[in-house]
Amino acid sequence: KKQERERKQLEHLNKYRENLRKFWGQASKRLGRLIKNEKELAERTSKRLDKAAANGKDVTALRAKLRDAQKLIADAEQVLKDTAAKVEEALKGTDTKVIFAKIRELQKGVLEKVKAAHAALVDVIKGTKGLGGGTPTPTPTPTPTPTPTS
């Protein structure tokens, strides 16, 4: 009986580990998409800054902020890669609650990095408001109103 119970516990633990691997796979895929989107946003912002600089605007401070944001994005990407090994290490444990808590903690750590990168990008984007990236819009010339003659 004892061997049967231990075998069932081991089966349950292995099934739980598989489910957690699947959970982490989905979570890392979502986090990877978030990081990819942040990279694309940084690229579009960089192009907007290029356009503003071509129009004679001073964008040096915004470029420095953008570089900082891109560094945060790269850090978030590296943390995501490093976290995969930590998840496998956590899955070697036997207490299911501790394993799940550790994986959630790792996931939240990556998410915080992504949020910090996004906040930095938003700061840069707010700075681009009012720079005017495109061609200046021509102001309409006033048309003379005919004066009535009596």
Side-chain angles (χ1 to χ4, degrees), residues 1-59:
K1 269 190 163 184
K2 185 178 180 184
Q3 289 177 337
E4 180 69 23
R5 188 174 60 233
E6 287 175 355
R7 187 185 60 75
K8 282 187 178 184
Q9 284 177 337
L10 187 60
E11 270 181 32
H12 175 71
L13 183 61
N14 287 335
K15 187 174 181 180
Y16 190 76
R17 285 178 178 149
E18 259 330 289
N19 287 340
L20 285 177
R21 275 191 186 91
K22 192 185 305 181
F23 166 79
W24 174 249
Q26 292 170 340
S28 68
K29 199 180 291 185
R30 280 192 306 270
L31 291 167
R33 269 195 309 263
L34 284 174
I35 291 171
K36 180 178 173 255
N37 290 344
E38 295 300 320
K39 281 182 172 180
E40 290 172 0
L41 184 60
E43 185 63 34
R44 287 195 312 266
T45 305
S46 178
K47 288 178 182 175
R48 191 177 297 150
L49 290 177
D50 291 343
K51 201 181 276 188
N55 287 339
K57 305 290 183 178
D58 181 25
V59 293

Side-chain angles (χ1 to χ4, degrees), residues 129-146:
K129 301 295 181 195
L131 283 180
T135 58
T137 56
T139 55
T141 56
T143 55
T145 55

Side-chain angles (χ1 to χ4, degrees), residues 49 58-68 124:
L49 290 177
D58 181 25
V59 293
T60 53
L62 292 173
R63 284 207 192 281
K65 285 183 179 182
L66 180 62
R67 276 192 299 276
D68 292 343
V124 174

Side-chain angles (χ1 to χ4, degrees), residues 61-112:
L62 292 173
R63 284 207 192 281
K65 285 183 179 182
L66 180 62
R67 276 192 299 276
D68 292 343
Q70 288 170 327
K71 184 181 179 318
L72 287 172
I73 293 169
D75 289 348
E77 192 172 29
Q78 187 59 46
V79 168
L80 179 61
K81 288 177 185 173
D82 295 344
T83 301
K86 292 178 184 176
V87 166
E88 281 304 316
E89 186 65 33
L91 286 171
K92 291 179 182 174
T94 55
D95 186 359
T96 55
K97 288 182 181 181
V98 172
I99 295 171
F100 184 69
K102 181 69 175 164
I103 291 175
R104 288 287 290 168
E105 178 185 321
L106 291 169
Q107 178 195 18
K108 286 180 181 178
V110 176
L111 189 58
E112 289 303 314

